[in-house]
Amino acid sequence: MRGAGCTINDMWDQDYDKKVIRTANRPIAAGDISTFQSFIFLGGQLTLALGVLLCLNYYSIVLGAASLLLVITYPLMKRITYWPQLALGFTFNWGALLGWSAIKGSCDPYVCLPLYFSGIMWTLIYDTIYAHQDKKDDALVGVKSTALRFRENTKQWLSGFSVAMLSALSLVGVNTGQTLPYYTALAAVGAHLTHQIFTLDIHRPEDCWDKFASNRTIGLIVFLGIVLGNLWKEKKTNETKKNIDSRIEN
């Protein structure tokens, strides 16, 4: 579905992409692939996604199907609002809801909603940075973005989004009984975001790309924090169980 979203985005934006230097060589905009061929490719992506979705429980099937509206419409948001990155956040982070329901059978709002919110805040951070690469071309062709909305106040907005993201992830940790490795990872994410925002030069496209790409490190840190945190929690649970059993035997 992530790939399908990109395909739909390139189909909607092919006329805009032709006018932007960085995107002019995208396959549809460059004419390497026809609109009809892109429809066939999109159909294949959606068919594969449906095959995965139908393997899940009924709750998750409905939840997954509901994301299709977001996937189709989010590329249009840049035409009508300066907050298309927010629409992207709602779309890209749907997995925070679907992943949980696929395992648990439904969404726990005390976990899923703050996790979903933190993902949206993260998307606003990295995609605003990404949008600064094309802000001059975007202004010329009439495309809107948070980069054009925030302008010189971008770092202040990104700092606010970072605080909101880390606060929501901390709440997720509390509500799931997370352990030291998880919170250590969040501290590392905070340090990474601080450095990323402090050193960002919004007027240099190459620096914006480097900062945008560095967000894969944030994803890896959070992932490792969750995995190690859960292993630590499992170890503590097992030790507690052994102590209880030992006391019962004695």
Side-chain angles (χ1 to χ4, degrees), residues 232-243:
W232 184 300
K233 182 165 57 175
E234 184 179 348
K235 180 181 178 182
K236 289 177 65 177
T237 300
N238 290 336
E239 289 177 351
T240 301
K241 185 178 179 180
K242 287 181 179 178
N243 289 335

Side-chain angles (χ1 to χ4, degrees), residues 155-222:
K155 290 190 176 184
Q156 292 92 314
W157 281 93
L158 296 183
S159 297
F161 295 146
S162 298
V163 171
M165 172 189 171
L166 290 169
S167 297
L169 286 174
S170 297
L171 180 59
V172 172
V174 171
N175 290 342
T176 56
Q178 270 297 350
T179 53
L180 181 62
Y182 176 79
Y183 295 107
T184 302
L186 293 192
V189 168
H192 190 290
L193 286 170
T194 300
H195 177 266
Q196 184 181 140
I197 295 170
F198 182 76
T199 60
L200 173 66
D201 185 347
I202 60 173
H203 302 297
R204 289 180 58 232
E206 59 274 17
D207 186 59
C208 291
W209 172 260
D210 289 340
K211 296 301 192 301
F212 164 76
S214 73
N215 278 275
R216 61 175 172 256
T217 303
I218 290 180
L220 180 60
I221 292 172
V222 173

Side-chain angles (χ1 to χ4, degrees), residues 116-137:
Y116 186 45
F117 176 78
S118 69
I120 294 171
M121 292 299 102
W122 185 26
T123 302
L124 280 166
I125 295 168
Y126 65 69
D127 209 57
T128 295
I129 295 173
Y130 183 87
H132 269 286
Q133 296 177 99
D134 303 324
K135 58 190 174 186
K136 293 181 180 178
D137 288 331

Side-chain angles (χ1 to χ4, degrees), residues 4-5 7 26-27 33 53 58 69 76 95-96 113 134 136 144 169 173 185 192 197 201 216 226 235 246 249:
T7 301
R26 288 180 175 175
I33 297 175
L53 191 63
Y58 291 122
L69 180 62
L76 299 175
L113 291 183
D134 303 324
K136 293 181 180 178
K144 300 177 175 66
L169 286 174
H192 190 290
I197 295 170
D201 185 347
R216 61 175 172 256
I226 293 171
K235 180 181 178 182
S246 177
E249 290 176 0

